[in-house]
Amino acid sequence: MPCILYIIFQRLYEIGARRVLVTGTGPLGCVPAELAQRSTNGDCSAELQRAAALFNPQLVQIIQQLNSEIGSNVFVGVNTQQMHIDFIS
């Protein structure tokens, strides 16, 4: 059974979407709310960073699979977590 994101993207295509930018999660453990609530020294939450690192590659796979079935690159994935890391570097 396909995951909910796959179903949502498929439905978007069915109702006429032909170019969709899909962003993954950014650095979840570094958002200001998390830093304010959980961090005592300003470090990002390793647990939330790992969650984003697990989710983003799976999102890319979903996009690639759906684009392959459609036969066109309707959905374009953007790795916002890597963009954030590149920006900091």
Side-chain angles (χ1 to χ4, degrees):
M1 178 168 178
C3 78
I4 190 70
L5 287 176
Y6 182 90
I7 294 167
I8 291 169
F9 295 158
Q10 192 174 38
R11 181 67 180 130
L12 284 171
Y13 181 75
E14 289 170 1
I15 62 174
R18 291 299 178 262
R19 201 62 162 167
V20 179
L21 182 66
V22 180
T23 61
T25 65
L28 294 177
C30 299
V31 296
E34 283 303 317
L35 293 174
Q37 291 178 2
R38 298 180 187 216
S39 180
T40 57
N41 59 1
D43 288 344
C44 299
S45 166
E47 181 181 7
L48 291 174
Q49 293 297 85
R50 282 192 299 274
L54 291 172
F55 174 79
N56 288 328
Q58 292 178 31
L59 179 62
V60 169
Q61 288 178 340
I62 291 168
I63 291 169
Q64 289 173 342
Q65 179 183 354
L66 186 56
N67 282 339
S68 176
E69 291 175 15
I70 292 170
S72 179
N73 288 326
V74 172
F75 299 93
V76 178
V78 177
N79 188 340
T80 54
Q81 184 174 22
Q82 187 61 48
M83 290 170 58
H84 179 79
I85 292 167
D86 290 347
F87 179 73
I88 292 171
S89 297

